Amino acid sequence: MFCEMIDDAFLVSMSGTSEGTQIKYYKDGYWYKKDSFGGEAVAEYLSSRLLTFSDLSTGDYVTYECGNLNGANACRSRNFLQEGESFITLYRFYQLSEGRKINEDLLRYETPEKRADFVLTYFSKNCALDLSDYFSRIFTLDLIILNEDRHFNNLGLISTENGTYRSAPIFDNGKSLLVGNLSVNRRLPLDENIKRVTARPFSGSHRKNMELFGKGFTLDKEKAIAWLTSEPDSYEKSVLLYQLEHLDIF
């Protein structure tokens, strides 16, 4: 747990989806994000800690920790860029290259398969990069954590000094585990609320998004559940525990 007081001089951006805005700071090699809905920091921490029980390498995902920033719940993560590298989202790359929004161009395609093929083909042609494995990792995690905010600004590339690209690590999982879902009614059973979750960006189904690219990692579910039961009680914890106990992919 961290506890920081950071001046607004370190305020970098206020970015988010149509559902809300999240305040971000950058200081001493760390990105800080305050909760907007309540629960984002816990969701970020639980999601990244879960992946330590997978066969992914630590470079495949960003690790988050919970804490307090200027008197508010927040999370932080280390900068994942090396010297000479830069980060660009898939949304921004496409917009700069084509002068259009990628999500709007995807509307031309009627099926998730065709949308996925369009995106894979585009970035293969323009970045010499196959994003299939990247997407398989991300959408496997999203199925588990019920991420509702995996738009193209939460998918990205790293440009290296020699002009090549590689996929960014998995980041920005705060709007998961039913955090910020305005349709959730906590008086209802978890399974009823989970049915109200919708996915992005290729299909409204998390399982369908994963199936487009295949399962992206394996998970030691027994160890993950043992760890999770030792964490402080929270609604986010109960959602993740339910998912681990009921999903049939591991």
Side-chain angles (χ1 to χ4, degrees):
M1 296 285 287
F2 64 87
C3 185
E4 296 280 351
M5 297 295 295
I6 299 180
D7 188 87
D8 281 352
F10 296 95
L11 181 62
V12 174
S13 64
M14 296 177 66
S15 61
T17 65
S18 59
E19 291 89 352
T21 301
Q22 194 166 45
I23 299 174
K24 298 182 180 182
Y25 294 78
Y26 183 74
K27 183 182 179 184
D28 298 332
Y30 280 96
W31 285 98
Y32 294 82
K33 298 189 295 183
K34 285 185 178 180
D35 280 7
S36 296
F37 298 100
E40 293 102 310
V42 174
E44 293 279 22
Y45 163 71
L46 292 178
S47 299
S48 66
R49 181 65 192 281
L50 173 69
L51 292 177
T52 66
F53 299 94
S54 76
D55 61 351
L56 295 181
S57 70
T58 55
D60 288 331
Y61 57 91
V62 172
T63 300
Y64 291 87
E65 59 179 314
C66 292
N68 186 283
L69 174 62
N70 297 342
N73 290 332
C75 64
R76 72 177 183 181
S77 60
R78 288 190 179 275
N79 180 20
F80 54 75
L81 296 176
Q82 303 298 317
E83 186 175 353
E85 294 182 339
S86 60
F87 170 80
I88 187 168
T89 68
L90 299 192
Y91 181 95
R92 185 65 174 158
F93 184 97
Y94 189 89
Q95 186 179 48
L96 289 173
S97 300
E98 304 300 324
R100 302 187 303 275
K101 298 177 181 180
I102 188 171
N103 52 305
E104 292 181 355
D105 280 359
L106 281 186
L107 295 177
R108 302 198 305 261
Y109 301 94
E110 296 180 355
T111 66
E113 289 82 2
K114 290 181 179 179
R115 296 175 200 130
D117 183 65
F118 168 77
V119 172
L120 288 177
T121 301
Y122 180 85
F123 286 97
S124 176
K125 178 181 177 181
N126 290 277
C127 300
L129 185 64
D130 184 355
L131 292 176
S132 299
D133 289 344
Y134 176 55
F135 286 157
S136 70
R137 295 191 295 269
I138 284 179
F139 296 123
T140 299
L141 175 62
D142 284 355
L143 172 60
I144 302 170
I145 64 175
L146 304 169
N147 191 338
E148 293 193 286
D149 202 32
R150 192 65 73 191
H151 49 77
F152 287 102
N153 270 320
N154 283 341
L155 299 163
L157 307 173
I158 295 173
S159 175
T160 65
E161 276 190 301
N162 61 13
T164 61
Y165 291 94
R166 71 176 189 273
S167 57
I170 301 170
F171 69 97
D172 210 339
N173 309 303
K175 198 166 181 287
S176 303
L177 304 177
L178 303 187
V179 171
N181 185 322
L182 301 181
S183 69
V184 165
N185 182 341
R186 295 198 178 190
R187 292 174 295 181
L188 295 176
L190 270 181
D191 60 337
E192 290 298 318
N193 280 317
I194 288 172
K195 292 176 183 177
R196 303 179 179 207
V197 172
T198 57
R200 302 168 79 172
F202 300 110
S203 169
S205 162
H206 283 101
R207 186 173 290 272
K208 180 62 177 179
N209 280 333
M210 186 199 75
E211 290 174 346
L212 289 171
F213 307 98
K215 189 169 69 172
F217 57 84
T218 60
L219 188 73
D220 190 327
K221 189 162 71 170
E222 287 187 8
K223 288 185 178 179
I225 290 175
W227 151 70
L228 189 56
T229 55
S230 70
E231 287 289 331
D233 288 341
S234 66
Y235 190 70
E236 295 74 35
K237 169 186 170 178
S238 66
V239 175
L240 183 54
L241 187 60
Y242 179 94
Q243 287 292 93
L244 292 177
E245 291 175 340
H246 290 82
L247 280 176
D248 58 0
I249 61 172
F250 298 112

